[in-house]
Amino acid sequence: QMGVVKLIHVKVNYCYGKIKAHKRPVSTLCFCPNRETFLFTGSYDKTIILWDIGVPDCDYNFRVSQLLVLKVCSTPLKMSPVPTCPEQYLVAACEGGCFAWDITLTKYEDKRNIVMEFQFPIYNNKNGKSDCCIVDSLAFCNDDLVASKTSMQGSIYLWSWSQTLKKWNKRNTKVNAAILREMEWSNTDEVYIALTTCPVENYLVCGDEKGDIWMYELDKFTNEEIESGKKTSPTQILKWPAIEARGEIIEGTLINNVTTDPEFKYLVAVTDKNIIVIWKRT
């Protein structure tokens, strides 16, 4: 069902309700970390909506309230409240760039415009054009460090939220991201490959178009590497495993998304061939 979000009670594995959140398909979801019933939904209708989904009663009755509508100039792909101020700012990677909104709840202004548009260096693509503005993934590595990936650039940026905020002139939405490092990644034209982070173990992880997993241990980089201006190499590249199905070898395939458990004991990768690969850390 287009634009519908289903609510599942995970302890009993029961879908107890649904929300008609948008008129077009939903592109991304995330919860507010300190308000467990606050849910953000992003859509191809170029909006992000904040909902209070409430808590179901013993008969699974529930009440949903729409709290905010955030206007986006393009499709939101990945979003996250800022860890140090999760009730004040939301950051999102979108097809048209990377943006932030003031999500402070008041009695007024239930529709909000973009307050910050983060600027990154733009490199020419293979055709000599510099129009690669799709920021297709984003995640916080810790309370301040943000990892974001611009498609077709072959790298991942690590930048500081607090340093960027200090540079922001509130009379202008555009602000240069305070980039700390540029991480080497696959030089591919494929888009919508999501990265993830494991803040407890200080790791950044991202798949690629060949089925490999690029892993970065963030506390292993020296100040000399940061100041050199060169791209930082991954700590490890986990190669696509030897997989056989029905007597045929399955070659490496595009990794759409990766995730880990909080302790980083397991790593799970989802591919575009309906294969889920699970690694155990030893």
Side-chain angles (χ1 to χ4, degrees):
Q1 292 177 292
M2 188 176 296
V4 170
V5 175
K6 295 185 178 181
L7 305 176
I8 300 172
H9 196 303
V10 294
K11 289 186 178 179
V12 295
N13 196 26
Y14 176 63
C15 179
Y16 65 88
K18 59 185 179 181
I19 308 169
K20 178 60 176 175
H22 298 270
K23 294 181 179 179
R24 298 194 64 189
V26 174
S27 57
T28 182
L29 301 166
C30 78
F31 279 99
C32 185
N34 62 331
R35 300 289 293 270
E36 62 181 12
T37 64
F38 280 19
L39 175 67
F40 292 94
T41 63
S43 169
Y44 286 88
D45 64 12
K46 300 179 182 179
T47 64
I48 296 171
I49 299 179
L50 172 59
W51 307 86
D52 185 349
I53 63 172
V55 178
D57 62 21
C58 58
D59 295 319
Y60 296 105
N61 298 310
F62 66 100
R63 179 178 295 179
V64 175
S65 301
Q66 181 178 299
L67 303 179
L68 284 177
V69 177
L70 309 179
K71 299 177 182 179
V72 193
C73 59
S74 57
T75 303
L77 303 173
K78 197 74 179 289
M79 55 189 173
S80 174
V82 176
T84 53
C85 45
E87 295 184 17
Q88 184 176 5
Y89 290 111
L90 179 79
V91 181
C94 305
E95 286 189 337
C98 186
F99 308 98
W101 294 261
D102 184 343
I103 56 172
T104 307
L105 292 177
T106 64
K107 294 181 180 179
Y108 309 100
E109 298 182 26
D110 57 350
K111 293 184 179 181
R112 307 282 176 87
N113 292 316
I114 292 164
V115 296
M116 281 179 266
E117 178 182 351
F118 303 107
Q119 303 293 296
F120 301 95
I122 299 295
Y123 297 104
N124 290 338
N125 60 21
K126 295 178 181 178
N127 298 321
K129 298 180 180 179
S130 57
D131 56 356
C132 303
C133 60
I134 299 175
V135 181
D136 58 7
S137 194
L138 173 147
F140 276 85
C141 305
N142 53 37
D143 285 349
D144 184 61
L145 191 63
V146 189
S148 62
K149 181 167 67 68
T150 303
S151 67
M152 297 180 284
Q153 187 168 302
S155 63
I156 297 169
Y157 284 126
L158 295 184
W159 49 285
S160 166
W161 164 260
S162 61
Q163 293 181 35
T164 303
L165 193 62
K166 288 178 182 178
K167 297 195 298 181
W168 176 42
N169 180 347
K170 293 186 178 181
R171 291 175 294 181
N172 186 1
T173 58
K174 293 185 178 181
V175 56
N176 291 325
I179 298 171
L180 304 180
R181 301 174 193 167
E182 185 176 2
M183 322 292 286
E184 179 188 0
W185 184 68
S186 177
N187 189 18
T188 176
D189 290 340
E190 295 287 350
V191 295
Y192 312 125
I193 299 177
L195 56 81
T196 193
T197 61
C198 182
V200 173
E201 292 295 320
N202 211 20
Y203 258 89
L204 168 66
V205 183
C206 189
D208 69 12
E209 80 287 359
K210 299 176 183 177
D212 298 337
I213 308 292
W214 297 60
M215 304 172 66
Y216 310 86
E217 191 173 358
L218 300 180
D219 60 358
K220 292 295 184 181
F221 306 120
T222 65
N223 289 330
E224 288 76 15
E225 287 178 305
I226 299 170
E227 294 168 0
S228 68
K230 296 180 180 178
K231 291 183 181 180
T232 303
S233 300
T235 307
Q236 178 184 0
I237 297 179
L238 198 59
K239 293 295 183 180
W240 176 259
I243 298 177
E244 184 175 340
R246 298 178 181 177
E248 296 183 2
I249 300 296
I250 299 177
E251 301 294 338
T253 182
L254 188 144
I255 303 290
N256 299 112
N257 208 343
V258 288
T259 190
T260 72
D261 66 299
E263 288 76 32
F264 204 43
K265 292 181 179 179
Y266 295 94
L267 188 150
V268 181
V270 181
T271 76
D272 65 349
K273 288 186 177 179
N274 292 330
I275 296 173
I276 297 175
V277 184
I278 303 174
W279 285 268
K280 182 179 181 180
R281 192 179 183 189
T282 57

